[in-house]
Amino acid sequence: MITFMNNSDSEEEPCNERTSLMSAESPPVPSYQDGLQASEAGEAQAHRKRRAGSSRGPNNITGGETSGSGVPVRESALENEEEELTLKYGAKHVIMLFVPVTLCMIVVVATIKSVRFYTEKNGQLIYTPFSEDTPSVGQRLLNSVLNTIVMISVIIVMTVFLVLLYKYRCYKFIHGWLILSSLMLLFLFTYIYLGEVLKTYNVAMDYPTLFIVIWNFGAVGMICIHWKGPLQLQQAYLIMISALMALVFIKYLPEWSAWVILGAISIYDLMAVLCPKGPLRMLVETAQERNEPIFPALIYSSAMMWTVGMAKPDTAARGPSQQTWDAAEDGREHLRSPSHAESQMSETRSPVPTRPVTSLEELEEEERGVKLGLGDFIFYSVLVGKAAATSSGDWNTTLACFVAILIGLCLTLLLLAVFKKALPALPISITFGLIFYFSTDNLVRPFMDTLASHQLYI
Amino acid sequence: AFFWLLSLLAASLLWFVSVQLSGREDAALLLLGAAAAVLLQELCRFACFKMLKKADEGLATLSEDGQSPISLQQMAYVSGLSFGIISGVFSIINILADSAGPGTVGIHGDSPYYFITSAFLTMALVLLHTFWGIIFFDACERRHAGGLGLVVGSHLLTSGLTFLNPWYEASLGPIFILTLCTGLWAFGTAGGSFRNVLKCLSCK
């Protein structure tokens, strides 16, 4: 019964995708297909669910998730069973989210440690106009705070813009925006990344080969993310995109600003999702009212929604549109344009018609995965990457931040299971991560270093 | 792993503060810091046990047949293993990173066997943590104070033995013997026995 909804704020800035868990319990309206959909009335369904939940493997091939959220959650007398189901599947989905987050972090840390390009200071984004090269500490602090304010306000403006676009149904605009963003991300950033990696390892590659490789990579990526593709491939692309974006941030954000921005973004996330007037919350609610998935290409989903057994005549007609919708829905991605490109946050909104209420009377096995916004991926990776880059080469700090973030994610998902509504994924993890980073860097490191130099073990 | 990190954090804090207060680094302070770290680790292991116990009860009430899907021993094993992994990784990863770089081991007069003994010690420590986890949880479950005391004592002993480095015979040897004994004890605690082993081997 946990619907996971990811709100993605696409903006030029790093997306503030939040993981929101939407509870699927809006009786009249099918909830988004996000998240676990567990509440099916009737024991049979509960049982089917149980069976279904464990055997979703083969259905993952369809591109995108089928929007299966239409099942209204009915509080049945089997609430206890549902809860148990929730917890069981919640645990499974936690693990399903651990893997991509870990992969993304591994990619970022590996790149940071080996490719020196991403740790060199080569200028700043226009979103952080104040330089940190000042001699005095106070001035530097002030500049970083000002940078943060600028960045957060840009994010807020973009989010509100997005919400307005969504409210007034300018789907095409959002769609185009998102496509443009992902295009740039897939081609330009990959080109830069590949170039730097090749430079680091001193491998020569001629331009035609490079062109072919990047063209294939980018084209397949666009198709996978915005249209249909195997789930694993789509997940892989989303992870790579998040990693690329995180690397850009690590490179172009000045040091202190990066930390302050991380803190400020988690606070903003908290407010935007939980406050009644927060833009993300309005987005989520509007999308729920209209029975539409939230932006496609901005959310990572861990499983396919597979809706089977709709009313017969419906299926055929609904099939294709549903597919596109789901695919689009799946392909959400947070695209943040780096400043050196125009910020064009493309938000892909799935322009699909509202889904009919999916009342699954028959065999409706939906394996709802958990959805996590790409922005969350990006910021987690930024934190770990920055820890790897600036912690004087210490792996302990990186590891500590990694564990902290995963534990934060666990806790968030637990809260999701308890509260059953959209929740921000950033605050807890980022807080833990920041605490652990600063404490490990300053307190634990000297201790461990001294111990290790005497070869003492504790 | 998280709990271990918390304990490490607390211990480092203690050590750091003590160093600052005393104004100089000292072997004695290091000893104190190490002892504090060990005790805090055991404390955190206990906290882990409590939390897992509660979660276990919650799972048991929610499950269909009243029994939790994970047995306490499995949890003990997992928790011990994770403590071991994070402690081992923290101990060795910087050494590994350095070993991939240029340099000569022991050029300043230290032992040239630094890397390999570190590797062995880390392995022993990881295994020990796993065993301690099993024994600890079992002792807590049965309220067997002797088990608890022995775990804490052997942890302190191990840590103390490492202070004898680089006199490797004195530290590595006893530590390995300790590991073996603790392993056998944990095996026995987890319900294994010689007969079980025979049965398992013959069931091939």
Side-chain angles (χ1 to χ4, degrees), chain A residues 81-210:
Chain A
E81 270 187 35
E82 289 173 358
E83 266 192 42
E84 171 201 339
L85 270 177
T86 306
L87 282 183
K88 256 197 226 158
Y89 294 124
K92 188 164 80 129
H93 289 286
V94 166
I95 305 296
M96 285 210 279
L97 273 189
F98 269 13
V99 175
V101 172
T102 311
L103 274 178
C104 194
M105 289 194 214
I106 286 180
V107 169
V108 170
V109 170
T111 310
I112 292 268
K113 287 280 184 193
S114 55
V115 178
R116 217 154 313 137
F117 172 72
Y118 287 105
T119 38
E120 293 162 3
K121 298 282 313 153
N122 256 349
Q124 294 184 206
L125 301 178
I126 60 170
Y127 302 127
T128 51
F130 298 96
S131 154
E132 277 197 10
D133 265 337
T134 56
S136 80
V137 171
Q139 178 79 352
R140 189 170 186 186
L141 200 62
L142 181 71
N143 277 352
S144 57
V145 170
L146 288 174
N147 275 341
T148 311
I149 293 181
V150 168
M151 194 146 222
I152 298 283
S153 44
V154 168
I155 292 183
I156 293 183
V157 162
M158 298 309 298
T159 312
V160 169
F161 185 47
L162 182 67
V163 172
L164 285 177
L165 283 180
Y166 190 63
K167 255 185 141 59
Y168 295 117
R169 302 181 187 259
C170 312
Y171 295 146
K172 280 207 181 337
F173 185 80
I174 295 181
H175 202 85
W177 192 8
L178 210 66
I179 286 191
L180 219 60
S181 275
S182 51
L183 214 82
M184 188 198 63
L185 204 65
L186 276 175
F187 286 102
L188 183 64
F189 287 168
T190 313
Y191 171 66
I192 295 177
Y193 179 75
L194 202 59
E196 290 306 321
V197 168
L198 289 175
K199 260 190 240 171
T200 306
Y201 291 110
N202 214 10
V203 171
M205 189 185 264
D206 50 317
Y207 274 116
T209 312
L210 190 72

Side-chain angles (χ1 to χ4, degrees), chain A residues 206-218:
Chain A
D206 50 317
Y207 274 116
T209 312
L210 190 72
F211 174 70
I212 292 178
V213 164
I214 291 198
W215 169 252
N216 281 332
F217 181 80

Side-chain angles (χ1 to χ4, degrees), chain A residues 13 22 58 87 92 97 106 109 163 168 188 206 223 232 296 315 321 387 396 405 410 433 435 453:
Chain A
E13 290 242 330
M22 297 295 286
L87 282 183
K92 188 164 80 129
L97 273 189
I106 286 180
V109 170
V163 172
Y168 295 117
L188 183 64
D206 50 317
I223 294 178
Q232 311 254 19
T315 324
S321 74
N396 285 343
I405 288 185
C410 251
I435 292 178
S453 66

